[in-house]
């Protein structure tokens, strides 16, 4: 939820991590801002620039396949999905939102890799703009925290 109390996170040292980012180009003004906020937060958390690998895909439905290809390389400690789906006048919004979300989750579970899902699903452009920076930061923090948690649990 926007503006929700997210608690205080630990495990936010990214200095030893390799992070992969998949960014959808559709609604690129929003996804570029998501990506910039995400990358800036990863760097702030200590992830080295050389250890951040970002790829672009056409839209949210293509994100899971690119995540899968990155997961198969076994080079990343966590992955991040960035996209923006804005409701239109047809059922297509629900299809894209549901299928991309399910695909992201499936890749994470199938490959045992944390994936921070920051594919925004909003009613309108104004909602997307209001969330773009915060959700980019959130995605970076989730990826780093979960990568460190899984390392502790293994």
């Amino acid at each position: 939820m926007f503006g929700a109390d997210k608690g205080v996170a630990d495990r936010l040292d990214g200095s030893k991590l390799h992070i992969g980012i998949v960014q959808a180009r559709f609604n690129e003004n929003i996804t570029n801002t998501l990506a910039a906020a995400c990358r800036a937060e990863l760097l702030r958390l200590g992830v080295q620039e050389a250890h951040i690998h970002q790829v672009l895909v056409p839209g949210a439905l293509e994100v899971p396949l690119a995540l899968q290809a990155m997961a198969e390389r076994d080079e990343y400690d966590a992955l991040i999905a960035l996209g923006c789906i804005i409701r239109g006048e047809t059922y297509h919004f629900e299809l894209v939102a549901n299928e991309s979300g399910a695909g992201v989750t499936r890749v994470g579970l199938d490959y045992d890799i944390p994936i921070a899902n920051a594919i925004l699903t909003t009613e309108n452009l104004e909602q997307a703009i209001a969330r773009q920076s915060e959700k980019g930061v959130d995605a970076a923090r989730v990826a780093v925290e979960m990568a460190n948690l899984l390392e502790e649990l293994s």
Side-chain angles (χ1 to χ4, degrees):
M1 178 174 14
F2 186 65
D5 179 4
K6 298 168 191 161
V8 177
D10 53 3
R11 299 182 189 95
L12 291 176
D13 177 7
S15 60
K16 297 178 183 173
L17 301 179
H18 291 74
I19 307 290
I21 301 171
V22 178
Q23 175 190 347
R25 284 191 320 267
F26 204 86
N27 292 313
E28 192 169 32
N29 288 340
I30 300 298
T31 66
N32 282 343
T33 302
L34 269 169
C38 180
R39 182 177 287 274
E41 184 67 5
L42 287 171
L43 294 171
R44 194 187 73 71
L45 296 173
V47 179
Q48 297 175 41
E49 179 75 39
H51 293 169
I52 302 170
H53 180 212
Q54 183 174 348
V55 298
L56 294 172
V57 297
L61 287 175
E62 292 75 37
V63 169
L65 183 59
L67 290 169
Q68 180 178 319
M70 292 176 105
E72 286 177 351
R73 294 173 69 174
D74 199 28
E75 297 175 7
Y76 304 100
D77 299 294
L79 300 172
I80 299 171
L82 302 176
C84 180
I85 307 163
I86 299 173
R87 184 179 298 279
E89 296 177 4
T90 68
Y91 180 73
H92 188 66
F93 170 86
E94 284 84 0
L95 173 77
V96 174
N98 292 336
E99 293 302 318
S100 64
V104 168
T105 300
R106 188 175 66 245
V107 171
L109 294 173
D110 287 352
Y111 288 88
D112 196 29
I113 187 168
I115 302 176
N117 186 349
I119 299 176
L120 302 179
T121 52
T122 65
E123 294 293 322
N124 53 52
L125 180 61
E126 292 76 23
Q127 288 179 353
I129 291 169
R131 288 161 176 76
Q132 62 191 352
S133 293
E134 180 183 3
K135 294 306 178 186
V137 169
D138 286 349
R141 295 175 67 84
V142 167
V144 169
E145 182 177 0
M146 290 303 295
N148 287 323
L149 174 63
L150 287 189
E151 178 64 27
E152 287 176 23
L153 294 175
S154 62

